[in-house]
Amino acid sequence: MWRESRRRKTTKAECVDTQVCEHLRRNLRRVRISSAIDFDESLSAGKLAARQIAVENLRCGELWLVVDAFGRIHTPITNLPKELRAYLTVDGKRLANVDVGEAQPLFLALFLRENARLQESKNLRNQGHPPAHPYDGQSMMDNRPQEEVDLDRTALPADLRRYLELCENRGFYQAVASKLNMHRADVKKRVLATLFDRPWRRNAISGVLGELFPAVVQNMREIKRGNYRRLAHTAQRIESAFMFGRVVPRIMAERPKMFVSTIHDSILTTAENAEYVRGVMLAEFARLGVTPQVQVEPC
DNA sequence: TTAATGGTGGCCTCTATGTA
DNA sequence: TACATAGAGGCCACCATTAA
């Protein structure tokens, strides 16, 4: 019973629209998982048991949905090991994942870009100029029916511009990996940890980041001042606002019957609808003035 | 780094029971 | 009646896992 109370305590959906939550909950109930799963026998007993329990819970209809304080939605699907997604179906159809390349650094880049723009606008006002951009003062994730953002990137600090472009081209992790003579996959998790870590802790990754993007790192350190978790929380809020404030509502409006489930910054849907979802995500990113890589990966 | 989950075990409180 | 003990349940921390 105390687990139930703990779950109730953490189920606070204030930061995600109720209709979005209900839509995702309804879609969750449509998911089925195959009865014939080849578990990796080389796994430790604990890992194997955890996978078996996760699968059993899905079969039994244990379909919880929790919104955390930073707007992320957690479900049995988000907790499911990636390799088991291949066994999921909806209406008998296999699923595909529509994934944003280097999403976390990209959302951070959007936040830093907005910061830089607001700072620039503030400086101009102080000099007696009108606001630099009609977007000034408005949250970048407000879902108003405004036109696409016409962003003058030349006004941004050079290394922030380069950081943003690398994120868009899925080259950010590779740039760090190349400096360290490592493989992209090996540095990815460490880069993410370093970005969100305590700013006073230094390692090889933080050294390379400081070398490649000095103003970006300095900006991040300022955001972390007083509470280093703020940067991670901010990135998650931006991700949440984008996914549940823009992408999912648009899909709900345009294709209300289409299956959709989220895995933080990616969207799970049936393979036949994956290209449509990819188009929606690209269009919504375009409204924010960025063109990241969005890939469809069959589960 | 953040979040979630389940499992386990420790600590605390409350209640019931046994004993002097 | 007073005290000791045992069991149950709530709460929490820690560990494992998953995702990004």
Side-chain angles (χ1 to χ4, degrees), chain A residues 187-248:
Chain A
V187 303
K188 184 180 171 184
K189 198 168 183 173
R190 289 176 61 191
V191 168
L192 213 48
T194 303
L195 284 177
F196 296 131
D197 198 2
R198 301 153 183 87
W200 56 85
R201 286 169 63 162
R202 304 300 172 94
N203 54 32
I205 302 278
S206 63
V208 168
L209 289 172
E211 189 183 325
L212 290 174
F213 315 104
V216 168
V217 169
Q218 181 57 32
N219 208 332
M220 288 180 179
R221 293 171 75 84
E222 283 164 14
I223 292 162
K224 290 180 187 177
R225 190 173 294 151
N227 177 12
Y228 73 95
R229 293 181 173 91
R230 190 178 296 128
L231 192 68
H233 294 165
T234 301
Q236 289 177 14
R237 284 198 179 99
I238 294 171
E239 169 198 286
S240 169
F242 179 75
M243 296 297 283
F244 306 121
R246 287 174 173 266
V247 177
V248 175

Side-chain angles (χ1 to χ4, degrees), chain A residues 52-107:
Chain A
Q52 288 167 335
I53 289 167
V55 168
E56 201 51 39
N57 284 344
L58 269 170
R59 282 202 193 113
C60 297
E62 280 277 327
L63 299 172
W64 45 271
L65 183 149
V66 174
V67 185
D68 68 32
F70 311 103
R72 274 195 161 179
I73 287 185
H74 304 266
T75 66
I77 305 294
T78 62
N79 281 20
L80 194 70
K82 207 178 242 179
E83 66 267 21
L84 296 184
R85 289 181 200 160
Y87 297 97
L88 298 176
T89 58
V90 169
D91 302 332
K93 295 168 187 163
R94 292 281 294 271
L95 304 182
N97 197 43
V98 186
D99 185 59
V100 184
E102 310 200 343
Q104 290 293 314
L106 178 71
F107 286 123

Side-chain angles (χ1 to χ4, degrees), chain A residues 35-52:
Chain A
S35 55
I37 295 178
D38 291 325
F39 289 103
D40 181 356
E41 297 296 331
S42 67
L43 290 169
S44 68
K47 280 190 176 184
L48 189 59
R51 280 165 169 71
Q52 288 167 335

Side-chain angles (χ1 to χ4, degrees), chain A residues 102 166 170-180 182-185 187 212:
Chain A
E102 310 200 343
L166 282 170
R170 205 168 171 269
F172 171 64
Y173 293 125
Q174 186 57 57
V176 178
S178 298
K179 275 275 180 185
L180 292 166
M182 292 172 72
H183 294 293
R184 181 182 180 278
V187 303
L212 290 174

